[in-house]
Amino acid sequence: MISIDQLSKNYGTFRALDKINLQVDQGQIFGLLGPNGAGKTTTVKILSTLVRPDSGEAVIAGNSVTADPTAVRASIGLSGQYAAVDEKLTGHENLVMVGRLYGMSRQESRARARELLHEFAIVDVKDKRAGAYSGGMRRRLDLASALVFRPPVVILDEPTTGLDPRGRLDTWDVISTLVGEGTTVLLTTQYLEEADQLADRIAVIDSGKVIAEGTSDELKVSLGAERIALTLARRDSLDETLRILERIIGVSNRAQTDSTGMRLTVPAPLGQKTLLQVLEALNSGGILVTEAALSRPTLDDVFLNLTGKPASPETSPSQSADAEVDV
């Protein structure tokens, strides 16, 4: 349903996309991850015909974004990073207006509006002007607007930004229901738990290039061994702990420490055996540990390993003068 072939885009001397290739099958949730400035939103803008690529091709539902943008727009629903609703209209009127713009009859658009108001838990404020909505409510209304005419492809750019945990879970349920009905979803997010829970496949993009692709499990397995997380009782025992870990695990696998210098993570090549060896050595060295855990790599570990950066919320327009050039 979505095919991207050698897609490139420059903004002046800045290379936003560098010959990326992606394929998204029908009925699939495809997660696109990456740090700020990676190229995610540029990809979304090209797929939604808001920006033309410099080279390469993107096809959605059989239609080229450059050769037939009108057909592409007729086959996609889009929800951007920031809610785009008419603040002078009520929530119900916003959804009816979208339905009418897509050629639905007045009766059909009203019925669909009522359905979505319930699904996104904004029915209680349906007759209030959208300008009076909270940020989370406007976000939900924007998401509902993207689904009014049941498009075969839905592009969601940071869809749960600004939502509380309950709103996020409700949105996950709606997305899962969409896919169950055959809709294809392209999802950009920096909530790695969201990608882990929802995405059938994930691509990690950085500096305009796709640097990894696969299922969540495949990406985790690619990182290798299980991890040991340790919390030390005293910060001044960190140096000695690192020396012990190097002796047991190897100099090439130094621990990653947090800002407190008391919590650290290190690969466990032999799993439980490595954990037991580490704990025994720390105990023999008189180093007190308040917490120790063995776990598989997380998607956060994968992201940090691939990009060298932790995941973080997208920069808002008010925070960046280059917001239009993203990302």
Side-chain angles (χ1 to χ4, degrees), residues 87-241:
E87 297 188 350
K88 294 183 179 180
L89 299 180
T90 67
H92 182 263
E93 288 169 342
N94 265 278
L95 297 180
V96 170
M97 176 185 69
V98 172
R100 296 291 285 161
L101 289 173
Y102 275 98
M104 298 172 67
S105 69
R106 188 177 300 277
Q107 183 177 358
E108 288 174 329
S109 59
R110 286 176 174 174
R112 182 60 173 155
R114 288 193 296 270
E115 182 180 341
L116 289 167
L117 288 165
H118 281 282
E119 284 186 12
F120 282 90
I122 47 178
V123 67
D124 291 341
V125 292
K126 66 182 180 66
D127 295 323
K128 291 185 178 180
R129 287 191 309 106
Y133 284 12
S134 67
M137 286 181 181
R138 283 197 296 270
R139 193 77 182 107
R140 293 201 293 272
L141 180 61
D142 182 64
L143 285 166
S145 298
L147 307 179
V148 168
F149 72 106
R150 294 185 175 89
V153 176
V154 175
I155 300 172
L156 304 177
D157 192 14
E158 306 286 349
T160 58
T161 298
L163 296 184
D164 59 24
R166 180 70 261 171
R168 186 169 294 128
L169 290 174
D170 289 343
T171 301
W172 290 5
D173 287 342
V174 171
I175 293 172
S176 297
T177 299
L178 278 174
V179 173
E181 297 171 350
T183 303
T184 302
V185 176
L186 177 71
L187 168 74
T188 80
T189 182
Q190 288 208 30
Y191 294 114
L192 300 189
E193 179 191 8
E194 188 163 86
D196 210 355
Q197 290 283 333
L198 293 176
D200 299 299
R201 290 187 66 79
I202 295 168
V204 181
I205 186 171
D206 194 20
S207 300
K209 296 177 181 288
V210 175
I211 58 175
E213 184 180 348
T215 66
S216 178
D217 285 341
E218 287 170 348
L219 292 175
K220 292 173 186 176
V221 168
S222 71
L223 196 57
E226 294 173 290
R227 304 305 227 212
I228 295 171
L230 298 172
T231 302
L232 305 178
R234 298 178 50 169
R235 184 171 183 172
D236 59 10
S237 62
L238 177 61
D239 289 343
E240 180 60 23
T241 299

Side-chain angles (χ1 to χ4, degrees), residues 9 11 40-53 58 60 64-66 68-70 72-73 76-82 84 102 155 157 324:
K9 179 64 182 178
Y11 291 100
K40 302 185 305 299
T41 298
T42 296
T43 302
V44 167
K45 288 178 178 178
I46 290 173
L47 292 178
S48 55
T49 74
L50 298 175
V51 168
R52 287 183 65 87
I60 297 181
S64 166
V65 299
T66 53
D68 198 351
T70 301
V72 170
R73 288 192 288 270
I76 65 171
L78 171 66
S79 178
Q81 288 183 25
Y82 311 103
Y102 275 98
I155 300 172
D157 192 14
E324 191 65 28

Side-chain angles (χ1 to χ4, degrees), residues 228 230 240-255 266-285 287:
I228 295 171
L230 298 172
E240 180 60 23
T241 299
L242 291 174
R243 283 191 286 270
I244 291 172
L245 290 171
E246 287 185 12
R247 186 176 74 244
I248 294 173
I249 299 171
V251 175
S252 62
N253 290 316
R254 292 181 182 273
V266 65
L270 301 178
Q272 184 176 349
K273 183 177 180 180
T274 302
L275 174 61
L276 294 174
Q277 289 175 333
V278 167
L279 292 177
E280 182 178 352
L282 292 175
N283 184 60
S284 297
I287 296 174

